[in-house]
Amino acid sequence: KTAARAQTILGVVQDVTAEMVERHRIEYERDYDVLTNLLNRRAFQRFAQERFEHPEQLKITAFLMMDLDNLKYINDYYGHDSGDEYIRALADVLRGFIAPDSLAAHMVGGEFYLFIKGDSRAKIQSRISDFEKAVQNTQMRLPGGETQKLRLSAGIAWYPEDADDYQQLIRYADFTLYRAKRTTRGRFV
């Protein structure tokens, strides 16, 4: 009897599926924007900062700060539901350009960030050019059957050429976005 008892294993099985699903939901809501399902501001900043902790892995990186043109007009004239659709239209285009080496986020309102890492500036510029064309060729349907082309102004800053730290890269991109908004809207500067 003693030998049989020594080989007996007792265990408890507990289903933790509901707790795990809830934990994943909370983590997702912490990191992703509800409207666009892109990263939110806090998650984007955290992931970008992590990349700058290992600058040798960044190679060449473009940081795009983007702002939807005409969002206020669409919100005021057609309503905030149409404004939300305008924001989602850009998010849909962005999702088509997110590669494993990229980050994209909806920051607030019509402001978006895109972080693209690559082996060469020429390859990244080609991706940015393709993205710009996709934006220009995207339309959304407004109430009443009208259509609205997506219009976006963007400022681009380059690592390591323009800046070698995250905060400085943001300042350069912000400056070039400001130039794009003040000169000719709808351009990538």
Side-chain angles (χ1 to χ4, degrees):
K1 234 177 180 183
T2 312
R5 203 175 242 184
Q7 293 180 3
T8 303
I9 299 173
L10 295 176
V12 177
V13 176
Q14 182 178 3
D15 184 3
V16 294
T17 304
E19 290 87 2
M20 293 303 294
V21 167
E22 179 65 12
R23 182 173 149 211
H24 288 294
R25 184 190 64 78
I26 290 169
E27 288 174 359
Y28 184 85
E29 289 176 359
R30 177 196 67 203
D31 290 343
Y32 289 87
D33 175 62
V34 176
L35 180 62
T36 63
N37 291 318
L38 294 173
L39 291 174
N40 62 28
R41 175 185 300 273
R42 183 179 308 137
F44 182 90
Q45 289 172 340
R46 185 175 72 244
F47 293 139
Q49 287 284 22
E50 286 172 6
R51 282 171 167 74
F52 275 87
E53 289 172 8
H54 305 283
E56 69 283 356
Q57 296 174 6
L58 283 174
K59 299 178 185 177
I60 297 172
T61 303
F63 176 71
L64 284 76
M65 184 179 285
M66 302 168 283
D67 191 44
L68 276 169
D69 297 328
N70 303 326
L71 178 60
K72 181 175 177 2
Y73 168 78
I74 290 171
N75 277 334
D76 291 349
Y77 194 77
Y78 295 101
H80 287 273
D81 288 342
S82 293
D84 288 350
E85 285 302 316
Y86 194 55
I87 290 168
R88 276 193 286 269
L90 177 58
D92 290 343
V93 174
L94 263 173
R95 264 191 291 285
F97 287 87
I98 301 172
D101 58 351
S102 303
L103 295 174
H106 176 225
M107 301 308 274
V108 65
E111 189 175 321
F112 291 80
Y113 285 2
L114 178 60
F115 188 88
I116 304 172
K117 184 179 90 171
D119 293 325
S120 75
R121 185 172 172 145
K123 287 180 184 177
I124 295 172
Q125 284 176 318
S126 177
R127 285 176 63 189
I128 292 170
S129 179
D130 291 344
F131 171 64
E132 186 175 9
K133 288 174 192 163
V135 167
Q136 292 168 349
N137 292 324
T138 300
Q139 293 187 21
M140 65 169 274
R141 187 160 303 285
L142 294 167
E146 296 176 60
T147 58
Q148 170 70 42
K149 278 189 154 197
L150 212 57
R151 278 193 49 134
L152 174 70
S153 297
I156 305 169
W158 292 89
Y159 171 89
E161 184 180 317
D162 294 326
D164 60 1
D165 72 79
Y166 177 63
Q167 293 303 323
Q168 192 65 24
L169 203 60
I170 288 176
R171 282 191 279 282
Y172 276 107
D174 189 34
F175 175 76
T176 55
L177 173 61
Y178 178 81
R179 276 190 17 218
K181 294 292 263 185
R182 295 293 174 232
T183 56
T184 308
R185 288 175 174 235
R187 288 189 37 219
F188 284 48
V189 175

